[in-house]
Structure formats: structure tokens, C-alpha cells
Amino acid sequence: YPLNSPSHLVVEGDWSNAAFFLVANALGSQVNITNLNPYSRQGDRKIIDLISHLEPMQEVDLSQIPDLMPILSILAAKRNGAVFTNIQRLRLKESDRVQTVQEMLRNMGVQTSITGNTFTVFPGNFNACTVNSHNDHRIAMSAAIAATTATGQIKITNAECVSKSYPAFWEDFSKLGGNYEQ
């Protein structure tokens, strides 16, 4: 069969990567984010609803949006906590994201709890610390956003791992006022 290429194609923005800066806005930053289709079929566009309507200790089903868990845990800690369910897929990502998110938050001074298929984040503030990204791009980017509201400096090991999904993250982070030193 002959195939024809469309004469005009618009590629919409990536909700997964935008989620980091959307949460930065929710935490008090001023980032202008464009080219996101509010009617997108991307599951991670759910971040908008969660930012707007995250209730204290709300249950959030991650079965369809597992990649949002690291940045949602930052939002939950700064808001009123959350209970994340259906976390089993997170153990099979670039790192065991259940363990690495728990380690990241605990290093920052935020309490968490893992029970079966549930990960609970309690409200808290971010303290100065070192976060091991475990070479997981979403951990590194989440820690960077947390650093924007931390009481002291957050150091991220293996921060260059962001190149997996967002090679310009540190450049964009710096352009937006974030302090990043290699």
C-alpha cells in the first residue's frame, strides 16, 4: 500500500516533562508553559487536575500515570500529603521508584510509608540534603523542583541522567531562575 505523509503535522507538548514545571508553578514559581494540548490523549495531562484538586491525604491511583509519582510526591509533601495506590509498576522503572522516591523524601525530611501496594507521603518541608538520583531522570528532576522551596541546598548525584528524557532540563531550569551548578 502506498503511504502518504501528512502535509502539515503539529506535535503537541510533552505532558510528562511539563509536569515538573507545572508543579514548580504550584509551589510558587512563575513558569510560562506553552504547547500543551488540554485535550491530549497523553495520560500525564492528569497532572493539571491533580494540581488543582489535590485534597489532604487524597488517594491517587497511579495505575495509568506511574511516571507522575516522583513529582506528585513533591507536590503532596508541600501540600497536605497523599496516598498513592497501584504502585507496583513503579518498581520496574529506571530505578525502583517506590524506594528511590521514599529515600529522596526522607533525605529531605519528609515522612513516608509503604504498605503493600500503597505509598503514603505526609506533609512536610524540604531540608538541605543530598539526593541520589539512582540514574533515574524523574528523581533528579523532582529533586530539582523540590530544591526551589527547600530551606537549604539540595545536591543531586548523577544529575546528568535527565538527558534520557529531557536533555535541556538543566539549561531550562537555569533560564527560569533555578540555581544549578555542576
Side-chain angles (χ1 to χ4, degrees):
Y1 297 99
L3 300 175
N4 293 320
S5 178
S7 60
H8 180 71
L9 179 67
V10 176
V11 177
E12 65 185 43
D14 181 349
W15 282 95
S16 294
N17 283 339
F20 298 96
F21 292 112
L22 290 166
V23 168
N25 279 345
L27 299 180
S29 294
Q30 302 273 324
V31 181
N32 185 23
I33 302 165
T34 60
N35 198 31
L36 292 175
N37 177 357
Y39 306 104
S40 173
R41 299 186 85 181
Q42 296 176 51
D44 287 349
R45 79 177 166 83
K46 179 140 177 85
I47 189 72
I48 290 295
D49 295 333
L50 291 167
I51 287 171
S52 299
H53 302 99
L54 190 63
E55 299 292 326
M57 298 308 287
Q58 177 179 332
E59 187 173 296
V60 178
D61 180 355
L62 295 176
S63 62
Q64 301 302 309
I65 53 169
D67 289 337
L68 290 180
M69 192 261 216
I71 194 61
L72 281 174
S73 71
I74 299 300
L75 179 66
K78 289 304 285 185
R79 292 256 178 104
N80 296 306
V83 178
F84 298 106
T85 62
N86 293 310
I87 62 172
Q88 66 271 15
R89 286 176 53 193
L90 291 158
R91 295 192 179 279
L92 306 172
K93 295 289 186 174
E94 288 77 358
S95 67
D96 176 341
R97 283 200 184 136
V98 175
Q99 292 300 319
T100 55
V101 169
Q102 182 177 50
E103 178 185 306
M104 172 183 69
L105 291 173
R106 284 189 174 170
N107 287 352
M108 292 179 190
V110 175
Q111 291 185 345
T112 64
S113 169
I114 300 171
T115 306
N117 200 21
T118 302
F119 181 74
T120 302
V121 176
F122 297 96
N125 291 309
F126 304 132
N127 301 317
C129 69
T130 297
V131 171
N132 183 343
S133 72
H134 295 277
N135 288 314
D136 189 325
H137 54 129
R138 297 195 189 282
I139 301 301
M141 291 186 284
S142 296
I145 299 305
T148 66
T149 67
T151 59
Q153 187 177 56
I154 292 181
K155 296 178 182 179
I156 305 167
T157 63
N158 300 310
E160 65 279 356
C161 66
V162 301
S163 64
K164 175 175 182 171
S165 63
Y166 193 164
F169 177 82
W170 295 116
E171 182 180 325
D172 290 347
F173 183 76
S174 294
K175 284 180 188 175
L176 297 168
N179 183 14
Y180 167 70
E181 298 172 18
Q182 193 166 359

